[in-house]
Amino acid sequence: MSFVVLVLAGLIVPLFYRQNIQVAKGIAVFAFGAAAFLIFNGHSLADYLDYFSITPSIKLMEFVLLLTLAAVSLSLTGFERPLISQMLFLSAVSLGLLETNNLFIFIVLFEAVAIISYILVSNIRNYYNAEGAIKAFIAGAVASGIILFGLALFSFVTPSFEYNQIRVEGKFTLIAVAIMLAGIFYKLTIVPMHGWAADAYAQVNHVAAAILSGVIKSVVMLATFNAFHRFLEFYPAMAVIIFSFFAILTMTLANFMALWQKRISKMLAYSSIAHSGYALIPFAAISSKFAYPGILYYAIAYIFMQTAVFLMLNELRVRAGIKYISHLKGLGKRSPLVALLFTIQIFSLAGIPLLAGFMSKAAAFYAGVDAGLWWLVLIALLNSALAVGYYVILIKNIYLDEPEESSTIEISYGALIGQLLLLGGTLYFGIIASNIFTSTMG
Amino acid sequence: MELLVIFGPIFFSFFVYFIFRNSPETTKYVALGWFVVLFFLSLNWYHQLPPEGYMVLGKYLSVPQFGFELTIKMDALSVAMLILTSALLVLVVLTSWEEKEQHIYMSLLIMFSGPIFGVFMTTNILWFFIFWELTLVPMLFLVGYWGAEERIYAAIKFFLYTHVFAMFMFVAFFMIFRQTGVWDFSDLAGKENLFKTPFLIWWLMFLGFAAKLPVFPFHTWLPDAHVQAPSSISVLLAGVLLKMGAYGLIRFTVELMPETTKHFAMVMLIIGIITTLFAGFLAIYERHIKKMVAYSSISHMGMVVVAISTVTYDGLSASLYEMIGHALVISPLFLIAGWLHHKTHTWYMDEMGGIMKKAPFVSAIFILAGMAALGLPGTMGFIGELTITISAVKAYGWWVAIVAVAGLISAGYIIWAVRRAIHGPMSPLVERTTFTMSFPEKLALAIYAILIVYFGVNPQPIFNLANQAFAFLGGN
């Protein structure tokens, strides 16, 4: 039912958004709300179809996803309006991707998400947008090819695609799974498959980047964990070697690249890549019972903060032409409320306590220590301290430097409400951790 | 009530800012009122304390699957820190009476009071770390916005330095939970045999606390941060933030892992002695008045490490006394150094000279606090240094009396500073400067002076607290 509501809304919305964007936004928010209500009352895909099943933790992630997308659609303005219907389709497909218990359906829906993301980024206004969109498209196509190749190989050995009856042992399975994961790593922007993301996230319009780097990435993160954890559990030592190698590579390289960026969007793109590196730690720590809470917490916290910073960046760019870090100078004086909202989300990305970014890191990294990988966690923590180096430069420009312009920046009410919703998520999951652990560990 | 004390300031500071931004002068009364309430609340908790062990105030935000909750429990050591913190906060409001952009400044101070109380009030290791990290945020802005010329560099260096070293501590905290299954350090006291890799944990934690204290060779952030910070914030940095390091060292090494600490006691002792002497020599070399005070501050914290390394009742009581003494003695020195820079626009002592004639009250307080720093009998400095030397000699043998040389070195730089800046021929710069000081600032300096002498003559109240705090080490 929730799926149907979202798809229908996605079909209706294009009739309105040319004439009256407020109506379109209203329909979208209503549809997200209705979908959440239906899921809450037991009308999700899993209640109607085989191949889908739902757990409390997936439900929690779905609510978070719908809330985030509602916040995004509230803050849309101007030429991003086609994104509303694409977001409705995206949410419908993402619900399926999260709920599925069949590897074949997982791959199909994964491709569907990828196709929607190509449409999202093709909202092109200038040369830069086009470059980013083409990179995202080509990388995505390559990834799809690789994943399909892996799936084809896997279909030779497995008796069934159901997660419960899937074949997990054997060298051939291992090769097939490794190939599939390599494709998925493109979407998760793991180094060395990250090259497209640094450009795509920075150059497509910022709302699309918010959805691409925030929403899609966290959904894929969690769905991939659900799909692949059986393989990893069967070969825990292999999981440690592969995932800790990629985790260290990803976070270290991305953090060093982010340190010398001048464009805010590029810095946030690299920071997003670095966050994928941290998110691999629960995968490496698969033998710990805290791995699943860790990845769930990470996905939930990451969706709020990453979406919020890119949305705010979009507002700043539209209203005040802010593109480079030096343009942020004196933002705290020019517009205290905007600066405060932006700062809190940046602190959350940096892992400052009482915000979701800290607690999610604590949960994900504790899983690593629990699996005995304290050295990996130490490297990750030093990396996140390194990351504070570039986040604090943003803060410095916002508050400590003198403004170069004195004009104030006003953001629209819709954007403000959207930001407050996301801030609510960041604060709630920063202080109260019990939902996550109750939903995953009973 | 406990939750209000910790989380209230963090959230309400934003409202204070937005409500009072049109009448900035009001915020200092709000801040003053709140800190006075905190002070009396801490005194009240002191009176409620049981004669030994912890007082449980509440448990909140429980996550049973992760064994994680905000446990608010206090013993005499925590309450001693709370009283010191709240008293310093009251004095800090008085001494920043004429700071620019009061509404933001005071909101940040109010915000700071939340996590710093949290650090001393909770016994849950993860929450301890959360509050520990959170204190950095208001400090970043306070140093970076209100500081002197190089403030932004200093603020970011301070933030990154302490943050990086806190990460080592964080891994150690994870390992503690992994190996014991308990997040509450008060439940872990005396269960050292549960630790599977005690040496690794001890070193990771020691790195975190050592950078905060700071000890040689992790002290390089301190001269920058303390010099560039506005003087009232230097007081907070020296009086409260460095104490967090010492508090952590006592809680997590001495109480949690006494055997491992004894194993590495000699390392701690040597580091402490090197810090004390090295910082002392640097202070002699310094012409910059606030840097000299900053090095003197490091030197005193080195003595605290020496005292903690003994892991005896005597040593820890002495360290608690020296911690409080250091806060009360260094603070007026920082305040006056900053005030002199504010008035004369120079940092260098040889360009001052003859200040006694133009500003006798401030000069007198400077001399008094300086004498306390070099350990003149009748002041807090004397009792601190004496008890530390005695306890260290008792624990390690006569050669540790070398610690007392620190007193000689500090006599060198303090007396020379007094000679160059306060006395001596009046420099043309001082001649043409007008020295005025507002009443609240004078009041705060007078309170510092009274406390230095009062606890110097009558140290018993502090040792009573220490007696209660360290009874588990076999006190008397």
Side-chain angles (χ1 to χ4, degrees):
Chain A
M1 282 305 284
S2 51
F3 186 85
V4 176
V5 168
L6 289 169
V7 171
L8 276 180
L11 291 173
I12 293 170
V13 160
L15 300 177
F16 291 97
Y17 61 58
R18 293 244 172 259
Q19 289 82 29
N20 192 344
I21 188 156
Q22 301 303 342
V23 176
K25 278 188 193 177
I27 294 174
V29 172
F30 176 76
F32 289 128
F37 180 75
L38 288 170
I39 292 169
F40 185 74
N41 283 322
H43 296 286
S44 53
L45 279 176
D47 299 303
Y48 293 91
L49 297 171
D50 293 342
Y51 307 133
F52 294 97
S53 61
I54 195 158
T55 58
S57 55
I58 294 295
K59 247 185 198 170
L60 184 64
M61 182 69 193
E62 285 177 351
F63 293 142
V64 168
L65 171 78
L66 293 168
L67 176 71
T68 311
L69 285 175
V72 176
S73 51
L74 275 175
S75 45
L76 287 184
T77 45
F79 78 98
E80 293 110 1
R81 56 188 68 180
L83 292 180
I84 297 183
S85 71
Q86 290 150 21
M87 278 193 303
L88 286 161
F89 290 132
L90 175 71
S91 60
V93 176
S94 301
L95 296 186
L97 188 64
L98 287 169
E99 286 176 24
T100 180
N101 58 9
N102 186 306
L103 193 64
F104 189 79
I105 306 271
F106 170 81
I107 299 290
V108 170
L109 292 173
F110 186 84
E111 290 305 318
V113 168
I115 289 167
I116 294 172
S117 76
Y118 306 148
I119 303 172
L120 273 174
V121 297
S122 64
N123 190 350
I124 292 168
R125 293 248 297 189
N126 54 33
Y127 175 79
Y128 282 106
N129 290 165
E131 190 192 340
I134 288 173
K135 280 194 175 164
F137 176 68
I138 292 178
V142 171
S144 303
I146 297 174
I147 295 170
L148 283 180
F149 181 56
L151 186 71
L153 287 183
F154 186 61
S155 65
F156 284 114
V157 286
T158 185
S160 161
F161 282 120
E162 294 264 336
Y163 287 169
N164 298 330
Q165 299 154 19
I166 215 161
R167 184 182 159 92
V168 291
E169 75 280 6
K171 276 184 189 155
F172 199 78
T173 314
L174 210 57
I175 293 169
V177 168
I179 292 174
M180 279 193 277
L181 277 176
I184 290 169
F185 277 5
Y186 269 92
K187 268 278 164 297
L188 286 178
T189 65
I190 304 301
V191 175
M193 294 79 147
H194 71 292
W196 66 279
D199 292 333
Y201 292 171
Q203 292 181 357
V204 302
N205 86 64
H206 292 328
V207 180
I211 300 170
L212 211 58
S213 72
V215 178
I216 294 183
K217 206 194 247 181
S218 9
V219 169
V220 168
M221 215 183 268
L222 189 62
T224 307
F225 188 91
N226 279 335
F228 286 87
H229 72 94
R230 284 172 191 77
F231 303 110
L232 307 181
E233 273 162 9
F234 199 78
Y235 291 105
M238 197 75 90
V240 168
I241 295 169
I242 293 174
F243 282 92
S244 50
F245 172 75
F246 281 111
I248 293 171
L249 197 63
T250 306
M251 56 204 180
T252 314
L253 190 96
N255 278 329
F256 274 107
M257 291 301 288
L259 269 177
W260 43 72
Q261 299 302 330
K262 298 219 162 29
R263 236 183 136 88
I264 309 167
S265 55
K266 196 103 175 174
M267 174 194 279
L268 291 177
Y270 276 112
S271 110
S272 155
I273 297 171
H275 277 273
S276 307
Y278 308 138
L280 289 191
I281 291 177
F283 284 88
I286 198 74
S287 57
S288 160
K289 65 180 175 178
F290 290 102
Y292 186 50
I295 191 76
L296 177 71
Y297 213 151
Y298 211 88
I300 285 179
Y302 180 73
I303 200 171
F304 283 122
M305 56 203 188
Q306 184 74 18
T307 315
V309 286
F310 261 115
L311 277 184
M312 189 54 105
L313 187 60
N314 184 49
E315 285 293 321
L316 292 175
R317 187 182 56 79
V318 172
R319 310 269 161 188
I322 289 175
K323 282 182 192 151
Y324 292 92
I325 294 174
S326 57
H327 291 171
L328 284 174
K329 277 189 180 151
L331 186 70
K333 286 225 179 76
R334 290 172 69 186
S335 182
L337 187 62
V338 172
L340 185 66
L341 291 171
F342 198 41
T343 305
I344 291 177
Q345 299 290 1
I346 289 172
F347 271 139
S348 179
L349 279 174
I352 298 295
L354 288 193
L355 299 169
F358 173 83
M359 284 306 287
S360 66
K361 268 195 187 120
F365 291 179
Y366 180 69
V369 173
D370 194 41
L373 307 172
W374 65 269
W375 45 272
L376 175 61
V377 172
L378 185 59
I379 294 172
L381 282 171
L382 290 179
N383 251 300
S384 67
L386 175 68
V388 172
Y390 53 85
Y391 295 122
V392 88
I393 297 293
L394 293 180
I395 308 293
K396 164 194 167 265
N397 276 286
I398 292 174
Y399 284 105
L400 305 183
D401 285 335
E402 289 302 315
E404 287 173 350
E405 281 183 61
S406 57
S407 61
T408 56
I409 303 169
E410 295 289 324
I411 62 171
S412 63
Y413 279 112
L416 189 63
I417 296 170
Q419 284 292 332
L420 288 177
L421 284 177
L422 296 173
L423 176 72
T426 306
L427 286 177
Y428 180 81
F429 287 104
I431 298 174
I432 294 161
S434 54
N435 297 46
I436 309 268
F437 287 96
T438 316
S439 70
T440 49
M441 300 171 81
Chain B
M1 193 64 205
E2 312 84 57
L3 281 188
L4 183 71
V5 166
I6 297 174
F7 289 107
I10 300 174
F11 293 110
F12 293 130
S13 59
F14 294 105
F15 294 103
V16 170
Y17 165 71
F18 279 108
I19 292 169
F20 294 110
R21 66 177 157 170
N22 295 325
S23 58
E25 293 294 306
T26 327
T27 44
K28 62 190 169 201
Y29 296 102
V30 175
L32 189 64
W34 175 243
F35 296 149
V36 169
V37 168
L38 286 184
F39 180 68
F40 283 106
L41 207 56
S42 314
L43 284 182
N44 181 33
W45 281 327
Y46 173 59
H47 287 295
Q48 289 173 3
L49 276 183
E52 200 179 315
Y54 286 90
M55 167 172 76
V56 184
L57 285 181
K59 295 177 176 184
Y60 306 93
L61 299 174
S62 168
V63 185
Q65 295 88 349
F66 200 31
F68 169 53
E69 62 189 357
L70 175 53
T71 322
I72 298 181
K73 259 175 164 183
M74 287 187 279
D75 70 349
L77 180 60
S78 337
V79 173
M81 289 291 129
L82 290 182
I83 295 174
L84 174 67
T85 308
S86 48
L88 280 182
L89 280 169
V90 171
L91 292 171
V92 162
V93 174
L94 290 180
T95 52
S96 29
W97 206 248
E98 288 172 350
E99 208 62 70
K100 64 171 181 174
E101 308 212 29
Q102 296 242 327
H103 52 307
I104 316 179
Y105 184 92
M106 293 298 168
S107 312
L108 285 168
L109 271 187
I110 293 175
M111 189 200 276
F112 175 75
S113 75
I116 192 72
F117 263 64
V119 163
F120 297 130
M121 281 167 76
T122 181
T123 55
N124 187 295
I125 300 177
L126 195 50
W127 275 105
F128 172 84
F129 183 79
I130 288 175
F131 294 131
W132 173 285
E133 284 286 280
L134 213 50
T135 54
L136 294 180
V137 177
M139 275 299 151
L140 169 70
F141 293 113
L142 284 169
V143 177
Y145 194 81
W146 282 268
E149 301 84 13
E150 303 273 311
R151 58 183 180 273
I152 296 177
Y153 166 76
I156 292 181
K157 186 174 177 184
F158 156 72
F159 189 82
L160 287 181
Y161 215 107
T162 38
H163 185 72
V164 167
F165 280 94
M167 292 298 134
F168 292 102
M169 211 168 83
F170 199 23
V171 177
F173 289 169
F174 276 156
M175 290 167 85
I176 290 175
F177 179 64
R178 161 96 171 96
Q179 294 175 8
T180 62
V182 183
W183 273 125
D184 192 330
F185 61 71
S186 62
D187 293 348
L188 279 173
K191 294 183 184 160
E192 206 180 347
N193 50 356
L194 286 176
F195 292 101
K196 294 190 189 73
T197 54
F199 288 3
L200 183 65
I201 293 178
W202 192 90
W203 273 106
L204 288 170
M205 289 199 303
F206 183 70
L207 270 181
F209 298 127
K212 195 81 176 183
L213 260 168
V215 299
F216 176 84
F218 308 116
H219 65 281
T220 54
W221 64 269
L222 189 139
D224 282 315
H226 285 215
V227 168
Q228 299 303 330
S231 346
S232 315
I233 300 306
S234 308
V235 168
L236 275 189
L237 285 171
V240 181
L241 263 80
L242 304 193
K243 301 303 170 300
M244 278 163 63
Y247 173 84
L249 211 54
I250 294 176
R251 281 280 189 239
F252 288 93
T253 60
V254 175
E255 279 189 21
L256 206 56
M257 317 172 82
E259 290 309 313
T260 320
T261 311
K262 278 176 193 151
H263 195 265
F264 291 118
M266 200 49 92
V267 181
M268 262 170 91
L269 176 71
I270 302 284
I271 290 179
I273 291 177
I274 291 177
T275 309
T276 310
L277 300 184
F278 180 69
F281 282 121
L282 284 176
I284 292 189
Y285 176 74
E286 209 46 73
R287 290 168 57 227
H288 190 300
I289 184 165
K290 212 169 169 189
K291 258 194 187 150
M292 183 206 81
V293 178
Y295 282 124
S296 156
S297 162
I298 300 179
S299 176
H300 282 92
M301 291 315 282
M303 309 249 314
V304 172
V305 177
V306 169
I308 293 174
S309 78
T310 60
V311 202
T312 58
Y313 169 78
D314 295 352
L316 285 167
S317 317
S319 79
L320 181 64
Y321 187 89
E322 178 71 7
M323 275 151 76
I324 296 174
H326 167 265
L328 295 178
V329 170
I330 289 294
S331 303
L333 290 177
F334 268 127
L335 285 170
I336 293 170
W339 180 77
L340 285 177
H341 171 251
H342 186 64
K343 295 294 172 195
T344 61
H345 305 288
T346 180
W347 283 121
Y348 298 104
M349 286 183 273
D350 28 18
E351 293 173 19
M352 297 172 187
I355 289 170
M356 186 56 135
K357 291 200 191 84
K358 300 269 293 213
F361 173 74
V362 177
S363 305
I365 305 263
F366 187 86
I367 294 172
L368 174 70
M371 291 303 133
L374 67 82
L376 184 78
T379 61
M380 288 193 85
F382 173 69
I383 306 218
E385 284 184 26
L386 184 73
T387 47
I388 286 177
T389 312
I390 292 174
S391 65
V393 167
K394 254 204 222 160
Y396 294 106
W398 59 270
W399 64 274
V400 191
I402 194 172
V403 177
V405 173
L408 280 178
I409 299 173
S410 55
Y413 57 79
I414 295 284
I415 292 177
W416 198 21
V418 169
R419 143 95 185 72
R420 279 186 290 181
I422 307 291
H423 293 304
M426 191 182 286
S427 74
L429 184 68
V430 174
E431 186 82 61
R432 62 173 181 269
T433 315
T434 45
F435 292 95
T436 50
M437 187 180 245
S438 67
F439 174 71
E441 284 177 88
K442 277 188 183 166
L443 178 69
L445 284 181
I447 295 175
Y448 279 120
I450 291 168
L451 288 177
I452 291 171
V453 176
Y454 176 76
F455 287 118
V457 180
N458 177 21
Q460 201 51 48
I462 296 177
F463 282 109
N464 283 344
L465 257 174
N467 197 4
Q468 225 170 326
F470 303 117
F472 67 95
L473 285 166
N476 39 11

